[in-house]
Structures are given as structure tokens and as C-alpha cells.
Amino acid sequence: MKACRGEVADYTPVWLMRQAGRYMSEYRELRSKVTFMELCRSPELVVEVTVHARNRIGADAAILFADILLIIECLGPKLSFVKGDGPQIDPPLRDPDEVAQLPEIDVDELEHVYAGVKGIREALPRDIPLIGFAGAPFTVASYLIEGGPSKNFEHTKAIMYHRSDAWHELMGKLARGTASYLQRQIEAGAQAVQLFDSWVGCLEPDDYREFVMPYSKQIFDAISDEVPKIHFGKGTGLMLELIKEAGGDVVGVDFMTPLAEARQRLGDTPVQGNLDPVLLLGDREVLAKRIDRVLEQGQGQGHIFNLGHGILPNTPVDNVLYLIDRVHEVSRK
Ligand code: CP3
């Protein structure tokens, strides 16, 4: 929490994006008994997965177990996760004329998420903050429109470039829903929130400014000032200033952007990142050097150590434990 506010901390705090997932055998075992959606809809299991993962690796924060795509079901389509194929949204929103018929998002439908937040808060050690999160409108819209993961975002960009009326209406709807969703997580006990705009790096900065920024900004402006807000996107090296301008107290930096450069360009704004998750798959000697380099470039004060994107499923848990210990040890004054 100190690092989020840019204050001096005893050491550089560390948590890992997607820290509660498939690289852990305990998670895989649980998932062999329930589907991903069943897990997400069960507050008891959400508490178990979130708290277990944080305690197992000793991270300085827990992140709510959920998914950025849960909110899509509030708009009507069905969400499922198919082994090997990732998320599927059925039916995808391909016809821009259908945007006008989408309902306003009613975040009461995600009551089970807030119940999970409350339960996690009770079960976590008192000094470990809980991070709530949501997907940013661009990234969520891309899944809603494409119907699943995408390489080129062709359907998404077709609506954005050619039917900007429908695009703006959709983004407005997602922004209002997402703001309410995050506010409800905060009211339930989340002590910080992160907005994931994972795929926004597929846009040119001017397009980001025109088609995306107003909606991410609307979310940050609408939610409580009392909790720190982290704003992350991958591939954002050319638009860090715009990400900062859109809002949030901390800018998440991906692994392709030199952290020293991010710090220089962002001034006093705290940063989070940015070790390449692939480094956790290999040799400890190389890993150690790279951890130290991230710490050095992060410059201590106002730096939250994290990966530059989500942890990969085949990461050895031992390497994660090593990473967290090393970050603490090397950065402790
Ligand atoms: O960080 C955590 O551990 C908390 C939980 C969390 C999940 N998804 C659980 C999950 C968080 C923060 C997310 C965010 C998320 N989801 C993002 C943004 C972060 C990023 O990686 O860019 C995105 C793009 C998604 C969409 C999504 N959900 C995809 C593409 C997939 C399938 C591929 C994959 O990476 O696993 C999911 C499924 C998903 N979400 C799983 C988990 C643990 C795996 C599901 C399973 O058990 O098989």
C-alpha cells in the first residue's frame, strides 16, 4: 500500500499477475473436480484458491480469484472455458446494430464475487492487502466481439473504425458496468484495484486516445479515491503517458518496456512490473540477475515488483518462491 502511494517501504513488495492459477498442483487438483465457471461462482472455493495461493508463495498481496470476462454474462452471452482453446463467448457480438439492444450491465448479478471478497478479507492475514480487479472496456469488448482469443482483432477493429457510433455506445456501457463492479468490490473489502487492459497494445496511440482512453478514464473517475488503482496493459511502451493520463495511481509496465525508461517518462507515478514471465521457467542464475536488474531499474520507492504479464502455466512453484525471497532480500534496506 505504501508503494502504491509512492512512499518509502521497508522493502520492495511483490505479487504476481495470475498468481492463483494453473502452475500450482493444488489448483489443478481442484479444477479436476469443478469447471472454471463453477469455481468462480462459489465464494467458498474463491476464498480457498485466493488465500491458499497467496500464503503458499508468500506474496505481499492477494488478488481476487475471478476472471475479467465474468461481466460479459451480464450482457447476455454465455461464457465458457474450453480446455486448450481458452475462453469462449456465445454468441459473439458481430453486428454493430445489436449494440443498442444490449441491456445495461446489472452488477447485482455478480453478488458471488463480492461474497468472495468478503470471505477472502476475513481469511487473509490482516497485513496482506486484497487486490480486486476488472477488465478494461477495450479488452473486454475484444472478447465479446471476437468470441474468444484473437490475433488480429479484426472484428473488434472493424466496429471501432467503421461503426464508431456503435463502438462508443458499447464502450460507454462497459465503462458504466465496470465502474459499478469495481466499486462493489471496494465496498466488499478490496483494498486496491487493478484494471487489466491486456490487449490494448494492438492499437496506435492516437486510436487509444480517441476510442479507449475516455472510457478507462470514466472508470477511474467514478470509483472511490480511497483505494489505490493500478492500470495495466501489455504492449503499451509507446503510450505509457496516455495510460497514466487515463487514470490510476500506479502504471503496470509490461516486460517489453524497459522499466528505467518507464520510470523516467512517468515521473513520480509509481510503477508495477516487469520481469518477463518466461524467465521463471529456466535457469536460476539468469533469473537472479534479471530480478536484480528489475529491482535496480525500479529504484525502490514507488515500485511494486511483478511480472510484465501473467505467470505461465508451466512455471515451477520453487522458482516463484525463489523470486519472492530474492526480491525481499535484495531490496530490504
Ligand atoms: O491473478 C490471479 O491469479 C487471479 C485470477 C485471474 C484469472 N484471470 C483466473 C483465470 C485474473 C486476474 C485473470 C485476468 C484475465 N483473464 C486476463 C487479464 C490478465 C492477462 O493475462 O492479460 C485475461 C486476458 C483473461 C481472460 C482469460 N481467462 C483467458 C485468456 C483464459 C485462458 C487462458 C489462460 O491464460 O489461462 C482465462 C482462464 C483463466 N482465468 C484461468 C484462470 C486461473 C485458467 C482456467 C483454468 O483453470 O483452466
Side-chain angles (χ1 to χ4, degrees), residues 15-22 27 31 36 63-69 81 86-87 133 139 143 149 196 198-199 232 309-310:
W15 70 278
L16 306 179
M17 291 193 277
R18 315 291 295 266
Q19 72 188 17
R22 288 170 302 177
Y27 175 81
R31 273 283 284 108
F36 182 71
I63 180 156
L64 167 68
F65 190 87
D67 197 87
I68 63 162
L69 303 180
F81 290 82
F133 73 93
T139 294
Y143 281 102
F196 282 95
S198 301
W199 309 133
F232 169 79
H309 199 197

Side-chain angles (χ1 to χ4, degrees), residues 70-128:
L70 299 183
I71 202 164
I72 283 181
E73 289 205 324
C74 302
L75 288 167
K78 245 193 102 44
L79 170 66
S80 57
F81 290 82
V82 183
K83 206 173 162 128
D85 292 340
Q88 283 188 7
I89 290 93
D90 189 34
L93 181 98
R94 290 287 167 80
D95 179 357
D97 290 328
E98 280 174 18
V99 171
Q101 287 141 43
L102 289 176
E104 271 304 301
I105 291 171
D106 176 4
V107 296
D108 283 350
E109 290 171 29
L110 295 164
E111 196 63 57
H112 53 91
V113 174
Y114 323 130
V117 169
K118 281 203 185 82
I120 296 164
R121 207 39 278 162
E122 282 159 24
L124 263 186
R126 282 181 63 97
D127 60 339
I128 299 299

